[in-house]
Amino acid sequence: MPFPEGVPSVPVRYSITSPAGGGPGEGTLQLMPTVPAIRVPGQDGVFTGGGTYRFVDGQLADGEGEQVRLLPTNVDGANPPVWAWLGIEQIDGRQPRYFYFVVDADAEEVDLGAVQQLAPDLTQYLAVPGESAYDAWRRAGNDGDEGDFLASLVGPPGDITAANDYTDEQLGQALAAEVARANTAYDPAGAAATAQAAAVSAAASDATTKANTARDTAIATAAQDATTKAGNAQTAAVTAATSAAAGLYLPKALLTVDAFMSQPGTKVFGHRGAGMVCPEHTEVAYDYAISHGIQAMELSVNVDSEGQLWCLHDLTLDRTTYNTGALNTYPSTGVAQRILTNGRLMLGQGWTDQPMVPLRTMLDKYLGKVVLFLEPKGNDAVVPLQNLLATSYPHAPASVIWKAHVGTSFTWPKQQGYRTWCYLDDGSSNAVLDGKDSLVDYWGVSTSMSSTRRKEIVARGKPVFSWPVYRRSQRAALEADGVVGLMSSDPVYVRGTTAQATASRWDQQVKESGGTPQTDYNTDAALKFSETGGWVSVNRARGTYGLGRYCPIVPGAGGYRIQIEMKYDQINSADLAVHGGLYLGKASDDPYEFNTINPSAGYHLILRHNGVLRLYRHVTTQTGGIQLGAADIATDAPVAGQSMTIQIDVTPTTIEARRLGNAAWATGPIADASYRGGYFGLSNGSISDTAARPFWRNLLITQL
C-alpha cells in the first residue's frame, strides 16, 4: 500500500547471496522503528510498526513484488526528530542478525548493503538527543517564546496580610517544632542533634536581626517599607526551615562518588551486575557483586510500553530472555509476570530462570550504599529516567555516575550535578573528545582499543575506566596504560590475585567465577555441563576454557599435581590422531588455542583418540608445539564413554604426565623448568568435530 500523498518516502534495495553455492539468498528482513510512533507534519495520524519482507531472487521486495519504500528517519518537523530503523535479518535458516540504520530524506535510493549498519554490541550505539525544559514545555501544549517559558516558572506573590501577622515568636515556635519532628524521625549518629542546634541558633539569630531591622526601618521610613521587609524576612525564614528539614529527612549517601574515587588503587565495577557469573542485569547479579564487596555497579535501563523502567542492556528481549521483540512493546504487567531471563544457556542449567528487575527496586535497595552507573540505552528511556531521578531521588547525584556513549548529550546530567562517564568508540578522534571535555568527568575506553590510544586518552588528565574486563591479564595491561577503573563482568575474580578453590564442583551445573571462555558473553564458547555425572565440555571446534577459579596454583616445597578425569563419548575412527587435554604452566590467564601463536608460553598435554599421550611446550614465536621427552607414551586406546584419569606433576625442576591404570603409561620426570606459571585450563586440542570432543570432571589440585 503506497504512502499517503505528501508523506516523504525513500526506496530501499538489499541484495543477498547464499554462502552455499553463491546463488541468490533466501530469507526475510523484518524492519521496525526504534520508537513506538512517528508523527509527520501535515498528517493527521501517526506512523507505527514495521513489516516483514522476503527476498525474491536475492532482492528485497514487498508483498506485491515491488521495491520496498521506508519513511526517512530525519523528516523535518517530525516527532520524535531522531530515531532509527531496526533490521532483523534471517537468511538461509541461520540465526537472526540485528542491525540499526538511518534513512536520509534527501536520498534518491538507499542500498542497505552499503549504509552503516550499527550492531547492538558494546561499542556501537545510536545517539540519544537531549530535550531542553523549554522544548518539553512547548510539547506539553504551551505557546510562547523562551521569555514566556521563564515567566511561567514564577509563582504568585505571597499573602501580605499573613506576612504582617508573622511574628518572631511564631517563627521560633514553628522552627523549633519542625526541628523536633525531624530530629525524632531521623537522627543518624547525632547528626540530627547537631543540625537541630545549628538550625535553631542560625534561625533565631537571623530572625532577631531581621525583626530589629524591619522595626527600625518601619519606624523611620513608613509602614509600606516595613511590610516589604517583613515579607522578605518571612520568605527567608521559611526557605531556611525547608532546607533544614530536607537536609534531615533525605537519605544520606553512605558512599559518595567522590569518596569512592578517592580510595587508593584500581577501582572494580560490576558490569551488568556480574553478567558472566550470574544472569545479567538481574537482582541476583547485583546482589552477588555487592555481597562480595564490590562498591560500584552498572545499571543499564530501558522502558516498557507504559513508561516503567527496567534493568536491561538491549532494546529487545531476544538475547537475554525467552521472549522476542522490543521491550517498549510490552506492558508492565506482562514484563513482571511473564518474562524470564535465559541465563541458563550461558551459565549452566543449574541456574533457575530469573525475572527482570524494575529500576526502582534497585535504586531503593542500593542507592547511596554503593556507587551506581546509570545509562538509558534507548532514546525513549532518557526522559523517563531523568524524570524519575528528579522527582523521586533528588539526592541521587551524590552517589550516581551518569554513563553514556560519546554520541549522546551530557548537558542534563551536568546541570543536575551528576558525575559523568563518557565511553568512546575505538576510533573516536581528539576533536570529538575536545567537544565533550567540559561535560565529562571520566573517559571510557574498551579493552579492544590499542594500548597507544588508551595512553593518549589517559594523558588528557581525567580518570579513565575500561570495559569489558573479565581476565586478570586484561587488568594488568590496562593498569600499565594508566587506566584506574575496570568495568568487569566477573568483578570478584578480576579484583582478586589468588585461587578460590582446589577441587571442582561441576556437579552443581553452574558457571564458576574465574571461568574464562575464549569469547565473553557467547553461548558457543561457554562451559557446557552434562545432565549427569558432573562432566563438563567445550562445545566449540578447538575450543578452550580457562580455570581461573583454581589459579594461580600454589605449589608446595616439591611442586604441585593436577589430577582430572577425562573421556571421549565418541571416537573419531576416521582420524585417531586427533586429541584433547589440558594446558598449564602459564604466567597469565590470557586465552590459549592449540597450533596458534599464543600471547604467553606454557605447556600442553594431549591424549589422542588412539591412546598416545604427549607433553609439549608452546612458545610465543611459533604455532606448533615443542615435544618434551624422547618418545610417544602409548596407552590403551580410549573407549567411548569410559573415564580415564590424567595426572601431571610439576616440580621445581621437572614435569611428568601419566595416565593412571598402568605403570608404563607415564613420561617419567622430564627435566624442564621453562615455565612455572600458575594458570591452566581445558583444551579441545586439534578436535574440530565437536561430537568427538573431550569431557572432564573431578579436578583436584594438590601440593607436592
Side-chain angles (χ1 to χ4, degrees):
M1 181 176 179
F3 281 89
E5 184 177 354
V7 175
S9 64
V10 177
V12 297
R13 58 187 175 88
Y14 197 12
S15 302
I16 59 170
T17 303
S18 173
E26 296 182 357
T28 61
L29 178 65
Q30 185 178 359
L31 297 173
M32 301 170 55
T34 56
V35 293
I38 306 104
R39 182 178 295 278
V40 175
Q43 299 297 316
D44 293 335
V46 295
F47 292 85
T48 63
T52 300
Y53 304 95
R54 291 198 164 274
F55 290 93
V56 179
D57 293 329
Q59 302 292 325
L60 186 68
D62 64 13
E64 299 177 357
E66 300 295 332
Q67 188 172 13
V68 175
R69 300 186 71 91
L70 296 179
L71 186 69
T73 57
N74 62 343
V75 176
D76 288 342
N79 184 18
V82 179
W83 54 282
W85 283 99
L86 166 64
I88 305 176
E89 173 190 283
Q90 187 162 17
I91 306 301
D92 295 329
R94 289 174 292 172
Q95 289 294 320
R97 183 178 74 89
Y98 298 78
F99 63 92
Y100 298 93
F101 63 92
V102 294
V103 177
D104 191 340
D106 294 331
E108 294 182 1
E109 184 182 58
V110 173
D111 182 358
L112 296 188
V115 300
Q116 183 183 19
Q117 296 182 353
L118 301 176
D121 56 22
L122 290 170
T123 60
Q124 293 176 322
Y125 290 83
L126 294 174
V128 180
E131 182 182 39
S132 69
Y134 171 64
D135 292 335
W137 182 74
R138 288 294 306 273
R139 180 167 54 77
N142 298 294
D143 293 323
D145 56 20
E146 292 186 3
D148 297 324
F149 163 64
L150 292 175
S152 72
L153 301 179
V154 179
D159 187 339
I160 298 301
T161 301
N164 291 332
D165 292 339
Y166 195 91
T167 66
D168 291 341
E169 180 180 2
Q170 291 170 329
L171 172 60
Q173 292 174 351
L175 284 174
E178 178 61 25
V179 171
R181 287 194 296 273
N183 186 51
T184 301
Y186 186 79
D187 188 9
T194 302
Q196 177 189 21
V200 171
S201 177
S205 176
D206 184 63
T208 300
T209 300
K210 286 183 172 60
N212 290 336
T213 300
R215 180 196 60 198
D216 295 339
T217 303
I219 293 172
T221 63
Q224 181 59 45
D225 194 26
T227 300
T228 301
K229 287 183 170 56
N232 292 339
Q234 177 190 22
T235 301
V238 171
T239 300
T242 302
S243 299
L248 291 171
Y249 279 109
L250 281 178
K252 302 295 189 298
L254 302 180
L255 181 64
T256 66
V257 174
D258 293 342
F260 174 65
M261 289 303 300
S262 68
Q263 295 176 4
T266 303
K267 315 300 183 295
V268 179
F269 323 129
H271 190 215
R272 308 183 188 181
M276 278 295 290
V277 183
C278 307
E280 67 175 72
H281 286 307
T282 62
E283 189 166 2
V284 294
Y286 302 132
D287 287 349
Y288 170 85
I290 301 306
S291 66
H292 283 80
I294 300 301
Q295 293 184 295
M297 63 183 176
E298 173 205 39
L299 302 177
S300 295
V301 179
N302 273 300
V303 66
D304 64 24
S305 64
E306 298 180 46
Q308 183 174 357
L309 295 165
W310 298 84
C311 297
L312 180 69
H313 179 274
D314 300 351
L315 298 180
T316 70
L317 301 172
D318 300 49
R319 181 178 63 86
T320 57
T321 77
Y322 297 103
N323 296 73
T324 59
L327 174 65
N328 62 15
T329 65
Y330 285 81
S332 300
T333 51
V335 178
Q337 300 299 321
R338 298 290 295 172
I339 295 179
L340 296 174
T341 61
N342 61 1
R344 291 156 43 94
L345 301 179
M346 186 172 66
L347 304 176
Q349 61 270 38
W351 273 98
T352 56
D353 293 328
Q354 299 295 315
M356 291 181 60
V357 57
L359 175 63
R360 273 184 175 271
T361 299
M362 289 296 93
L363 292 178
D364 291 342
K365 189 171 186 177
Y366 285 126
L367 180 61
K369 299 177 182 178
V370 297
V371 172
L372 300 177
F373 288 79
L374 283 183
E375 179 185 14
K377 286 292 186 178
N379 293 13
D380 52 355
V382 176
V383 173
L385 177 57
Q386 292 173 346
N387 291 339
L388 175 65
L389 293 175
T391 58
S392 298
Y393 304 97
H395 52 297
S399 57
V400 166
I401 296 175
W402 185 274
K403 169 180 178 279
H405 181 250
V406 67
T408 62
S409 172
F410 289 86
T411 302
W412 182 88
K414 289 306 294 180
Q415 289 176 340
Q416 308 306 310
Y418 286 93
R419 299 293 187 269
T420 57
W421 180 38
C422 174
Y423 60 94
L424 309 171
D425 294 325
D426 288 358
S428 294
S429 67
N430 287 333
V432 171
L433 272 67
D434 291 341
K436 295 288 185 181
D437 191 82
S438 64
L439 298 174
V440 170
D441 294 293
Y442 317 111
W443 295 113
V445 298
S446 74
T447 51
S448 62
M449 182 180 286
S450 70
S451 174
T452 300
R453 181 56 175 155
R454 287 199 297 256
K455 290 178 181 177
E456 291 174 352
I457 296 171
V458 168
R460 296 177 69 93
K462 292 182 177 179
V464 177
F465 309 154
S466 186
W467 90 100
V469 185
Y470 64 106
R471 294 177 184 266
R472 291 171 178 170
S473 55
Q474 291 175 317
R475 171 181 176 172
L478 292 166
E479 288 177 331
D481 290 344
V483 173
V484 298
L486 309 176
M487 189 70 72
S488 175
S489 54
D490 192 352
V492 176
Y493 169 70
V494 168
R495 179 190 60 186
T497 58
T498 60
Q500 303 172 57
T502 57
S504 63
R505 287 307 309 264
W506 295 330
D507 56 308
Q508 291 189 313
Q509 300 178 318
V510 293
K511 184 183 185 295
E512 303 164 326
S513 173
T516 50
Q518 289 169 293
T519 308
D520 203 3
Y521 291 106
N522 185 295
T523 56
D524 293 334
L527 194 67
K528 304 300 180 185
F529 298 88
S530 298
E531 291 296 337
T532 58
W535 294 97
V536 296
S537 65
V538 183
N539 192 22
R540 188 180 196 181
R542 292 171 45 171
T544 62
Y545 191 86
L547 298 174
R549 175 174 172 79
Y550 313 95
C551 302
I553 297 175
V554 179
Y560 65 87
R561 170 176 292 166
I562 301 175
Q563 183 173 296
I564 194 169
E565 289 185 56
M566 178 174 165
K567 71 171 180 174
Y568 294 107
D569 279 350
Q570 181 174 310
I571 304 300
N572 188 349
S573 58
D575 183 6
L576 294 175
V578 298
H579 59 76
L582 302 172
Y583 66 90
L584 68 150
K586 298 172 74 68
S588 168
D589 65 353
D590 50 40
Y592 164 80
E593 185 175 337
F594 173 74
N595 204 31
T596 300
I597 292 181
N598 290 286
S600 61
Y603 303 103
H604 57 267
L605 174 144
I606 68 169
L607 181 59
R608 300 189 187 277
H609 279 209
N610 59 15
V612 169
L613 182 72
R614 281 186 179 179
L615 269 174
Y616 289 86
R617 284 199 304 263
H618 56 265
V619 296
T620 59
T621 56
Q622 66 183 56
T623 58
I626 302 170
Q627 184 175 352
L628 301 181
D632 295 342
I633 306 302
T635 73
D636 286 352
V639 177
Q642 288 191 8
S643 173
M644 306 169 285
T645 300
I646 306 300
Q647 182 175 292
I648 305 172
D649 288 347
V650 180
T651 75
T653 58
T654 65
I655 182 169
E656 178 180 8
R658 68 176 65 244
R659 174 181 167 188
L660 302 186
N662 188 314
W665 296 349
T667 63
I670 301 171
D672 189 298
S674 302
Y675 312 114
R676 289 298 181 269
Y679 287 88
F680 72 106
L682 310 173
S683 172
N684 282 352
S686 66
I687 293 172
S688 58
D689 179 5
T690 56
R693 70 187 185 275
F695 291 75
W696 301 269
R697 72 175 178 185
N698 293 336
L699 169 68
L700 180 64
I701 310 296
T702 53
Q703 295 181 333
L704 298 177

